[in-house]
């Protein structure tokens, strides 16, 4: 390779090079076993050590309280849309579950819950605005006082909407908050004690696709209702009781996630990666703002994501798909990949997950300025 490839993929996403090199060095002989970590038993002492260290390092990174369990589950984060219904509605189909809808993934969560027969109450919904971050004031949110939980997505990957801070104080007393944190977990500080459940697919900020992290408060492990018969592989209580080993876990994905956690600790933890991520986002938003309307981010400034930056290119007052296609093509020629926007919204999207270097944002910003100079 004569120059680096800057991978702006929304997921599976870029991984730290040093982590990949570490995995490469151990690929054929892990821990002097003479085998790959993918070839050893998930019940061996060698993998048990991997599993335990991975959990301990995540607990340290996020200061996870002792009364929370950390689970490594299969099925991707989308499977958790069903899992929270199966596990967390003790009142069954008569008890409401509250959902805050700010983008495509929270919409999908609502659809999944309704499909299972749950009584869904939509607290607020930004679909009418195209999910552009026009979140109504909390005073207008319509919570259920007896809700089984309040569900929200912290960062909407497709629409680029991220909560600067969730309004926990507005949630009715005793109602646990459930959060899909797939696309911004470990990217900034998080007070885990404010949540009932946090879950996140690994393939953006944690590791490779194949494992989903679930952080759950212990008192929520026994809330299942016979109205929602829970598949054994989605049962939080069984998973916790068996240290995520009831079913053969995605061993390589857990191992590589553990290497990522160790890397984050080594570079200074959440504080260091937060500063890194903030700077990457600032560089690109600055390029958009300085383009005199050539580039436009559709998301309201207060809710703009630091992880996923969607934008359109405008010509004569209208979005130009021709210029956007040209932009993506020329960016790829400069070894900047995966910039095409999600098929449902179009445009361009730059994903700036933890492992993406600052140099990538700087290179993209420089190209944006040059491209606008030619075509504005």
């Amino acid at each position: 390779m004569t120059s680096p490839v800057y991978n702006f993929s929304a997921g599976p996403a870029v991984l730290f090079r040093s982590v990949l090199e570490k995995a490469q060095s151990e690929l054929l002989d892990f821990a002097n076993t003479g085998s790959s970590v993918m070839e050893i038993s998930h019940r061996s002492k060698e993998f048990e050590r991997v599993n335990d260290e991975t959990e301990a390092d995540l607990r340290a990174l996020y200061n996870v309280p002792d009364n929370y369990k950390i689970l490594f589950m299969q099925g991707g984060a989308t499977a958790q849309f069903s899992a929270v219904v199966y596990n967390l509605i003790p009142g069954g189909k008569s008890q409401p579950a509250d959902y805050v809808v700010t983008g495509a993934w929270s919409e999908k969560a609502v659809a999944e819950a309704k499909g299972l027969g749950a009584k869904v109450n939509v607290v607020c919904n930004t679909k009418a605005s195209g999910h552009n971050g026009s979140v109504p004031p909390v005073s207008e949110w319509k919570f259920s006082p007896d809700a089984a939980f309040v569900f929200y997505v912290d960062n909407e990957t497709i629409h680029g909407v991220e909560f600067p801070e969730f309004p926990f104080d507005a949630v009715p007393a005793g109602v646990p908050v459930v959060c899909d944190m797939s696309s911004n977990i470990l990217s900034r500080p998080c007070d885990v004690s404010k949540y009932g459940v946090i879950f996140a697919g690994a393939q953006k900020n944690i590791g490779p696709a194949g494992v989903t992290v679930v952080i759950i408060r212990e008192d929520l492990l026994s809330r299942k209702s016979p109205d929602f018969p829970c598949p054994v592989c989605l049962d939080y209580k069984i998973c916790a009781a068996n240290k995520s080993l009831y079913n053969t876990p995605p061993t390589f994905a857990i191992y590589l996630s553990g290497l990522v956690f160790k890397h984050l600790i080594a570079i200074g933890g959440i504080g260091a990666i937060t500063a890194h991520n903030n700077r990457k986002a600032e560089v690109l938003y600055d390029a958009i703002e300085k383009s005199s309307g050539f580039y436009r981010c559709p998301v309201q400034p207060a809710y703009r994501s630091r992880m996923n930056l969607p934008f359109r290119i405008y010509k004569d007052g209208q979005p130009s798909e021709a210029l956007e296609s040209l932009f993506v093509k020329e960016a790829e020629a400069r070894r900047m990949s995966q910039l095409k926007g999600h098929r449902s919204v179009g445009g361009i999207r730059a994903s700036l997950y933890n492992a993406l270097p600052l140099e990538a944002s700087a290179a993209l910003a420089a190209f944006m300025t040059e491209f606008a100079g030619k075509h504005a």
Side-chain angles (χ1 to χ4, degrees), residues 33 38 95 97 108 119 122 128 130 150 209-210 213 241 249 253-254 271-272 279 281 293 328 334:
T33 61
M38 292 179 283
Q95 184 177 19
K108 291 177 186 294
K119 182 179 179 181
V122 176
V150 173
V213 169
I254 294 171
R279 182 58 187 147
V328 170
R334 299 183 184 216

Side-chain angles (χ1 to χ4, degrees), residues 75-285:
T78 302
Q80 297 302 312
F81 296 166
S82 297
V84 298
V85 173
Y86 288 134
N87 285 277
L88 300 175
I89 308 182
K93 293 183 179 181
S94 64
Q95 184 177 19
D98 282 4
Y99 284 75
V100 177
V101 178
T102 55
W105 290 108
S106 43
E107 280 187 348
K108 291 177 186 294
V110 166
E112 187 75 6
K114 287 182 175 179
L116 293 174
K119 182 179 179 181
V120 171
N121 170 54
V122 176
V123 175
C124 71
N125 192 340
T126 61
K127 187 173 184 177
S129 67
H131 297 312
N132 70 350
S134 297
V135 180
V138 177
S139 60
E140 298 178 10
W141 293 19
K142 299 177 181 178
F143 290 104
S144 304
D146 60 339
F149 57 79
V150 173
F151 177 100
Y152 83 103
V153 177
D154 207 35
N155 183 81
E156 288 281 1
T157 315
I158 293 174
H159 289 91
V161 173
E162 182 177 34
F163 275 91
E165 186 174 355
F166 190 75
F168 294 96
D169 292 344
V171 176
V175 177
V177 175
V178 176
C179 180
D180 179 350
M181 212 174 279
S182 292
S183 52
N184 68 348
I185 193 169
L186 298 176
S187 71
R188 63 182 181 183
C190 173
D191 184 351
V192 173
S193 68
K194 292 183 177 181
Y195 295 88
V197 178
I198 294 170
F199 66 83
Q203 67 275 11
K204 301 176 191 297
N205 272 335
I206 295 175
V211 64
T212 297
V213 169
V214 177
I215 305 173
I216 179 169
R217 206 172 65 218
E218 287 181 343
D219 64 289
L220 300 178
L221 290 172
S222 300
R223 286 168 57 97
K224 290 185 291 294
S225 163
D227 285 358
F228 302 108
C230 184
V232 67
C233 288
L234 292 179
D235 190 313
Y236 292 152
K237 188 174 183 179
I238 290 175
C239 189
N242 289 274
K243 296 180 64 176
S244 303
L245 299 175
Y246 178 83
N247 186 45
T248 304
T251 54
F252 185 74
I254 294 171
Y255 156 76
L256 205 57
S257 298
L259 294 184
V260 170
F261 298 157
K262 290 185 184 301
H263 176 80
L264 289 174
I265 291 170
I267 64 173
I270 299 300
I273 203 65
T274 299
H276 174 68
N277 289 330
N278 289 347
R279 182 58 187 147
K280 284 185 297 185
E282 287 169 2
V283 166
L284 288 189
Y285 281 126

Side-chain angles (χ1 to χ4, degrees), residues 55-56 58-59 64 68-72 213-216 244:
E55 177 185 335
L58 177 56
R59 193 174 290 276
V64 178
Y68 283 73
K69 295 292 188 182
I70 295 177
L71 315 177
F72 301 118
V213 169
V214 177
I215 305 173
I216 179 169
S244 303

